[in-house]
Amino acid sequence: MAGAKEIRTKIKSVQNTQKITRAMEMVAASKMRKAQERMREARPYAERMRSVIAHVSAANSEYRHPFLVARDEVKRVGFIIVSSDRGLCGGLNNNLFRQAVRELDRWRSEKVESDFCVIGNKGGVFFRRLGVNLLASTAHVGDAPTVDALVGTVKVMLDAYSEGRVDRVFFIYNKFVNSMTQSPVVEQLLPRLPSDEDEVRHRWDYLYEPDARDVLDHLLNRYIESLVYQGVVENIASEQAARMVAMKAASDNAGGLIDDLQLQYNKARQASITQELSEIVGGAAAL
Amino acid sequence: MPSTIRLDIVSTERELFSGECAMVIAPGVMGELGIMPRHSPLVTRLKPGEVRAELPQGGEETFYISGGILEVQPHVVTILSDTGNRAEDLDEAAALAAQEQAERMLADRGSDIDEARARAELAQAAAQLQAIRRLRNRR
């Protein structure tokens, strides 16, 4: 009978695929929860840091750190881009890259060239193919990234800024809105834009050791690093959420495919039985 | 007069400690600091070393930090701890490593494309082979 056996093998293979996508869905769900936890844990540091910086810079208004001063003329901009190391997470990376390319084109139309630092494997591959000026890249930061793993890439960009090779630094990553929504965002990292949260409620006259300038330099470096770290963690949570959704869709599709195949199989089986029966009846009639 | 001071130790990755202390001892860059309640406001950098928190009910907690910032407000001490090993030259090395990786990526562009092409050819050949086999079986 045409295909009954082949259909059965096909069903088997789709079932196997479905098992894998189901497993991946569950793994992604648990990793997403862990990443969300990490996002939450990283928050206090950045908040404390922001309040200390606000205090210190309010108390030392005469010293303006270059990270806080906007430059009038923008000749070159830098991008730090966070992407995932692995695929199978729907359109997450592509949406992000599209956003980045749009930014790049926007600056290009104003005759401003761009430099890139890329975190994550997918971004490295994409931007290499795009042929942009890649200053640094880090890949395989894993599901539980450490600040250590990111320091190098961030430092390259901060140095470029300090030395005046770039006049603005943007940070592009996927913001984790909820498990169904992740949206690529472009944030200006340097110079740091003052925000409402920088409002100082109480003002202390600090003692500084060794001096205010040294402390502020140190603080700002760490602050930028912590922002990047947070973005990376958020991107990981987004990646897992996107993968979870993509794998759920894949499992559902596999289910639909199995139903169709099952129907085909039943039809084929029935047809073969009918044929056999009619052969027997025909044979009996001939006698 | 309060006899305790609140201590928060946070690192980029998580919160390490949060609670009331009788005294906090921390390794400042200019020397070891002991901070008791109502210490005057202070900001300093920390050296790698031990932070000791003396608890009000006796006993103490010890944390190793690899540097960071200490901030003292009248009733709160905040330690913004670095994670991992941080030193100027180590940071430099990390930056160089990141740069090298970018260069390496740019350099082996050719081989990667070759690999992709080879893979595509292989897939095509395999498909042809399969088709031929199927034709043979039909005969």
Side-chain angles (χ1 to χ4, degrees):
Chain A
M1 167 56 238
K5 188 159 187 288
E6 274 118 63
I7 295 174
R8 213 160 42 202
T9 0
K10 191 114 193 242
I11 290 178
K12 199 88 204 150
S13 100
V14 176
Q15 272 170 345
N16 285 337
T17 311
Q18 193 185 29
K19 260 181 220 157
I20 294 172
T21 55
R22 276 237 178 86
M24 282 181 79
E25 181 191 336
M26 282 187 278
V27 170
S30 99
K31 281 189 178 170
M32 182 188 78
R33 268 193 294 279
K34 279 190 204 133
Q36 271 177 290
E37 184 72 8
R38 240 169 256 128
M39 263 164 66
R40 208 174 47 72
E41 284 177 342
R43 218 161 279 153
Y45 183 82
E47 276 164 17
R48 292 278 158 64
M49 200 123 216
R50 203 179 300 136
S51 86
V52 176
I53 289 173
H55 268 115
V56 176
S57 42
N60 289 275
S61 42
E62 77 281 3
Y63 175 54
R64 301 291 287 162
H65 192 275
F67 286 0
L68 302 172
V69 180
R71 297 177 189 165
D72 300 331
E73 198 190 356
V74 179
K75 293 187 289 293
R76 212 173 165 87
V77 293
F79 290 98
I80 297 180
I81 290 171
V82 186
S83 65
S84 72
D85 278 331
R86 271 173 266 165
L88 292 182
C89 49
L92 186 83
N93 284 316
N94 283 325
N95 288 342
L96 186 85
F97 297 156
R98 209 173 305 136
Q99 182 89 29
V101 169
R102 213 175 297 141
E103 284 295 311
L104 175 70
D105 288 341
R106 196 167 62 79
W107 284 106
R108 234 176 223 164
S109 68
E110 293 174 27
K111 301 261 181 297
V112 175
E113 287 301 311
S114 314
D115 288 326
F116 286 81
C117 282
V118 177
I119 298 166
N121 213 4
K122 291 279 163 190
V125 172
F126 178 85
F127 286 98
R128 187 183 66 197
R129 201 172 308 141
L130 201 63
V132 296
N133 187 22
L134 208 58
L135 291 184
S137 87
T138 311
H140 310 297
V141 289
D143 296 321
T146 55
V147 179
D148 283 14
L150 309 171
V151 167
T153 310
V154 176
K155 186 173 165 57
V156 170
M157 207 37 114
L158 294 186
D159 285 351
Y161 181 84
S162 304
E163 289 161 18
R165 279 182 282 133
V166 296
D167 301 305
R168 262 187 215 177
V169 178
F170 295 95
F171 183 42
I172 305 183
Y173 66 98
N174 279 298
K175 198 170 192 63
F176 182 89
V177 182
N178 55 45
S179 57
M180 298 307 283
T181 325
Q182 304 85 38
S183 56
V185 290
V186 183
E187 272 178 14
Q188 181 167 328
L189 214 53
L190 293 175
R192 194 76 205 138
L193 302 169
S195 69
D196 305 338
E197 297 160 67
D198 294 347
E199 204 62 40
V200 181
R201 270 159 298 170
H202 310 285
R203 191 175 287 191
W204 329 105
D205 253 338
Y206 282 116
L207 300 169
Y208 295 100
E209 281 182 22
D211 60 59
R213 194 177 271 230
D214 183 79
V215 170
L216 195 58
D217 287 358
H218 189 82
L219 271 172
L220 280 167
N221 267 314
R222 291 288 183 273
Y223 180 57
I224 302 295
E225 279 167 19
S226 85
L227 287 179
V228 173
Y229 173 79
Q230 242 181 339
V232 169
V233 172
E234 209 152 308
N235 198 69
I236 287 169
S238 302
E239 176 195 344
Q240 298 301 351
R243 180 165 300 133
M244 192 179 82
V245 172
M247 288 301 119
K248 184 166 171 34
S251 304
D252 292 350
N253 288 344
L257 207 57
I258 290 171
D259 287 349
D260 286 353
L261 286 172
Q262 191 70 49
L263 202 65
Q264 258 183 47
Y265 172 74
N266 289 346
K267 272 186 191 156
R269 195 178 57 100
Q270 226 162 19
S272 82
I273 291 169
T274 313
Q275 200 189 354
E276 250 171 66
L277 268 178
S278 66
E279 271 164 15
I280 292 166
V281 171
L287 288 174
Chain B
M1 184 186 132
S3 61
T4 61
I5 188 162
R6 192 184 164 74
L7 171 68
D8 292 320
I9 305 181
V10 288
S11 77
T12 329
E13 283 149 24
R14 64 207 163 91
E15 191 161 68
L16 298 171
F17 178 83
S18 178
E20 299 292 327
C21 296
M23 179 155 96
V24 181
I25 297 158
V29 279
M30 312 283 284
E32 189 135 294
L33 295 157
I35 292 143
M36 296 185 70
R38 301 180 62 102
H39 191 285
S40 53
L42 166 86
V43 177
T44 180
R45 280 177 60 177
L46 296 178
K47 285 192 301 202
E50 251 179 16
V51 174
R52 295 207 305 278
E54 284 180 11
L55 303 175
Q57 62 272 28
E60 60 174 29
E61 292 250 16
T62 317
F63 303 90
Y64 176 79
I65 59 159
S66 54
I69 301 267
L70 171 90
E71 187 213 13
V72 184
Q73 292 177 9
H75 304 292
V76 189
V77 178
T78 308
I79 293 176
L80 300 161
S81 150
D82 291 343
T83 43
N85 286 319
R86 299 300 299 266
E88 207 48 42
D89 42 346
L90 278 179
D91 283 11
E92 203 70 58
L96 279 176
Q99 260 167 330
E100 265 166 29
Q101 176 155 6
E103 274 157 23
R104 215 171 24 243
M105 268 188 140
L106 293 173
D108 61 27
R109 170 188 289 176
S111 67
D112 215 49
I113 290 175
D114 287 348
E115 197 192 310
R117 190 173 297 146
R119 227 179 251 163
E121 274 169 6
L122 185 70
Q124 235 165 25
Q128 280 169 353
L129 211 64
Q130 214 172 6
I132 291 168
R133 261 191 217 134
R134 218 174 272 158
L135 279 175
R136 251 188 221 149
N137 283 349
R138 211 168 276 176
R139 261 182 221 148

